[in-house]
Amino acid sequence: MTPRPASGRAAADRLARADRSRTFPPLPARPGARGLFAESWWGSAWLDALETTALDSARLARGRTYARDGHVDTINVTPGRIVATVRGSRPRPYSAEIRLRTLTDQEWDGLLDSIAADPGRLTALLAKKLPQALAEGEVRLLPGPGDLVPRCSCPDHGRPCKHAAALCFQVARLLDADPFVLLLMRGRGERELLDELSRRNTAHTARETHAHAHTHTHTHTHAPARLPRHRRGPEAGGETRDAGSAPSAPATPGVDCGEPEAPGVPPVGGVMAKAVLADRPRPPLPPPLPAPARPGRPPALPDGDTLPFDPAALEFLAADAAARAHACVSAAASPGHGGGRPPVHSPFPALPPWEDAIRLAATAHPTAGLTSATRALYRDLAAATGRTTTDVARSVAAWRQGGPEGLALLDAPWDPPAGDFDRARSALLAADLPALRPRHNHLTDADRGIQLRFGHDNRWYPYESEPGTEDWWPTGPADPDPVGALSALLAR
C-alpha cells in the first residue's frame, strides 16, 4: 500500500482536530419559561445526573435561572470537557467547566458495532434522536451519578456552583437538538463517527454478500447443467437451423442468453452530470445584507491568571477588529456614481506605532472615562511607548476630538496662511466673545484658560487649561465655526 503523503496526513489531522471541537453561540434566553428544562428523554437524563450529584438544591435553582436568563455565553465542547463563560454579579464573567470521562477504544468498538448491526439506530442518530437501547446498552453513553465533574473560577466552592449548574442546563438544550454532542463529549466527532460507521457497514455488507454467494454456488454444484436454447438439438426441443442460416452471435460470458433481447433497444449508458445540469437555470444571488448601524461589542472574558495573555487586551483588540470590519463594510456598501461601486480604500491607513496605539485606546472604548481599566490601559501603553500616563491620556482625548488631525495639533503648531484664521478674530469680537491672542495656529486667553487651535482641515479645536498653568487639554468636538467652538467651550 502506498503511504499517505505527509501533507495528506497533516490535512487529515487538522480535520480530525476540527471535528473533535464544536463551539456553540449563546443560546437565546427563555425568561418566564416553566416546566421541564430539557425536551428529550436524553436531555432529561443528563440533568438527572446533575441533580443527583448536587449537594445544594438552591444553587441548582439559581443555575437554572441563570440559564433561562441567558447568562451563559459561548459554549465549547471537546472530548471529556465542556467550557463556557457565565456572567454573574461581577463585571467579568467566570469560566465554568464540566468534565466527563471519555470512552476507551474497546468501548468505542463495541458501541460502533452495535450501531452498524442495527440500521435503525444509525437512522435515528441521523434524525438527531438518541435510541434508548443504544444509550443504555453495554456501553453507557449518558452520565450517571457522580460522572459529571464541575469546576468554576468563582470563589464559591459548591459542587456545582450556580455558574457550572447554569452551564449544565444549557448543555441539556444542546443535547436536545443534537445527540452527537454527547458522542463528542465521550470522545469522537460526528464526521469521524459517520465515516467509521460507513466503513463498518461496507465491510458488513461485503461479508453478507460473500456468504450468500458461497451458499448459492454450493447449491447449484449438484444441479444438471442447462444448455441455452440455441445450443440444444431438435430432440431436446431446441432450435433447428437451416444449413444456409447465419450462425448465432457468440454468447457473452456471464450473461444468460436463454432469452433474446428486444430488437432495436440500445444498451443503457450513463450521462454526465455536468451535461444534465448545464442548462439548469440558477437563481440570482440575494442582495447583500445592510451594514449594522454600529459595530458590535465583544463579550467580556473571565480573568486569565493562568493564561499567557491579558483578557482585557484581547477584548481590546477584538473591539478594534470589529470597528475596522464595520468601517470597511460600510465603505464597501456605499454606491458610486451610476449605481456602481467605487474602488474601496482602507479607512485605516498605516500609522506609526505611537499613533496606532493612541487610536486603539481612543476607539476601543470611545466613551470611557478614567476608570480603573482605562488607567491600567494607559499605564501599559505608556510603558510600551516610553511616554507618561498623562501623555497617553491627553493624546487619547486629542484623537477622540479629531482623529489623526486632532493628534497632530496636540504637539505640532503651524503657521496658517492669511484668510480664515485672520477673519476668526473679527468674527469672535463681532459675537461679543472674549478677544484671543494669536500665536501660530492658536488663539489663546491664558487668564481664562481657553484656547482655539486651527487645523489643516479648516476646523477649530477647543482646548482648556487651569488659568496660568499652560497645561492645555483637548475639550469638546471640533467645529468649522470659531464662534461655535468658543461658545461651546465657554458654556462648559
Side-chain angles (χ1 to χ4, degrees):
M1 183 177 66
T2 304
R4 181 185 296 177
S7 59
R9 288 197 300 272
D13 291 341
R14 285 194 299 271
L15 289 175
R17 286 194 299 270
D19 192 40
R20 292 192 180 190
S21 178
R22 292 181 65 179
T23 300
F24 299 89
L27 296 174
R30 298 195 300 186
R34 293 293 182 267
L36 295 176
F37 201 92
E39 298 178 356
S40 63
W41 75 265
W42 55 92
S44 299
W46 168 272
L47 292 180
D48 288 343
L50 167 68
E51 292 167 356
T52 55
T53 305
L55 302 178
D56 185 356
S57 59
R59 285 189 176 92
L60 281 184
R62 289 195 294 271
R64 181 191 294 264
T65 302
Y66 268 27
R68 280 193 170 136
D69 291 345
H71 284 241
V72 181
D73 292 327
T74 301
I75 301 174
N76 178 252
V77 181
T78 54
R81 188 169 181 256
I82 310 132
V83 182
T85 53
V86 182
R87 286 173 280 110
S89 56
R90 296 185 181 182
R92 286 203 170 277
Y94 297 107
S95 179
E97 177 181 340
I98 304 295
R99 296 273 185 171
L100 179 65
R101 183 185 71 86
T102 58
L103 302 181
T104 64
D105 290 342
Q106 183 178 359
E107 289 173 323
W108 273 115
D109 283 339
L111 182 66
L112 292 171
D113 284 341
S114 67
I115 299 175
D118 186 353
R121 295 183 175 183
L122 178 57
T123 302
L125 285 175
L126 293 176
K128 304 303 181 182
K129 298 184 182 299
L130 183 63
Q132 192 160 359
L134 175 64
E136 298 177 353
E138 294 183 4
V139 180
R140 293 189 61 85
L141 286 176
L142 288 163
D147 288 347
L148 299 178
V149 182
R151 297 179 184 176
C152 186
S153 61
C154 73
D156 185 0
H157 297 292
R159 189 176 177 89
C161 67
K162 57 187 175 184
H163 311 103
L167 173 57
C168 274
F169 280 108
Q170 294 296 64
V171 170
R173 294 176 63 184
L174 295 181
L175 294 177
D176 282 344
D178 188 356
F180 278 101
V181 175
L182 177 61
L183 296 171
L184 175 57
M185 295 177 200
R186 288 299 196 178
R188 300 283 179 91
E190 179 176 355
R191 184 72 267 158
E192 179 183 9
L193 288 174
L194 294 178
D195 289 345
E196 178 61 26
L197 286 171
S198 177
R199 286 191 290 268
R200 291 180 183 238
N201 283 334
T202 301
H204 182 71
T205 302
R207 286 194 299 268
E208 287 188 341
T209 303
H210 178 74
H212 178 73
H214 178 74
T215 304
H216 182 75
T217 303
H218 180 73
T219 302
H220 285 274
T221 52
H222 302 286
R226 178 175 179 268
L227 293 175
R229 291 179 60 87
H230 71 275
R231 298 288 301 274
R232 302 175 194 168
E235 68 280 0
E239 297 176 355
T240 58
R241 192 181 294 121
D242 295 334
S245 63
S248 299
T252 303
V255 178
D256 185 5
C257 299
E259 297 294 334
E261 294 184 356
V265 177
V268 178
V271 180
M272 295 294 291
K274 182 170 66 173
V276 173
L277 302 176
D279 298 331
R280 188 180 64 172
R282 290 182 287 272
L285 293 175
L289 295 175
R294 60 186 60 85
R297 300 293 304 168
L301 299 176
D303 293 326
D305 297 334
T306 60
L307 299 177
F309 59 85
D310 181 12
L314 186 58
E315 294 172 14
F316 184 65
L317 294 174
D320 177 64
R324 284 171 173 256
H326 181 267
C328 291
V329 169
S330 299
S334 302
H337 297 290
R341 297 190 182 277
V344 179
H345 303 284
S346 172
F348 296 94
L351 297 173
W354 164 250
E355 294 185 22
D356 198 48
I358 296 304
R359 179 194 64 79
L360 279 168
T363 57
H365 302 285
T367 60
L370 280 177
T371 63
S372 59
T374 54
R375 286 192 180 95
L377 173 63
Y378 293 170
R379 284 196 302 269
D380 292 342
L381 285 179
T385 56
R387 307 290 183 103
T388 66
T389 305
T390 302
D391 289 339
V392 173
R394 197 193 315 265
S395 299
V396 166
W399 189 281
R400 288 174 178 168
Q401 186 185 54
E405 179 65 18
L407 185 60
L409 292 176
L410 184 64
D411 298 317
W414 62 290
D415 294 319
D420 291 340
F421 182 78
D422 296 324
R423 287 190 291 270
R425 296 182 65 202
S426 301
L428 294 176
L429 292 174
D432 198 23
L433 293 172
L436 303 181
R437 180 183 176 184
R439 178 176 174 80
H440 299 298
N441 61 320
H442 298 174
L443 295 178
T444 308
D445 184 346
D447 293 336
R448 294 175 179 267
I450 57 176
Q451 184 182 82
L452 295 180
R453 298 188 182 186
F454 188 57
H456 294 85
D457 57 356
N458 294 327
R459 293 193 300 166
W460 295 89
Y461 291 76
Y463 276 67
E464 66 179 356
S465 169
E466 289 294 328
T469 62
E470 296 288 328
D471 184 25
W472 298 105
W473 282 76
T475 306
D479 195 315
D481 179 14
V483 175
L486 186 55
S487 299
L489 184 58
L490 293 172
R492 291 178 59 84

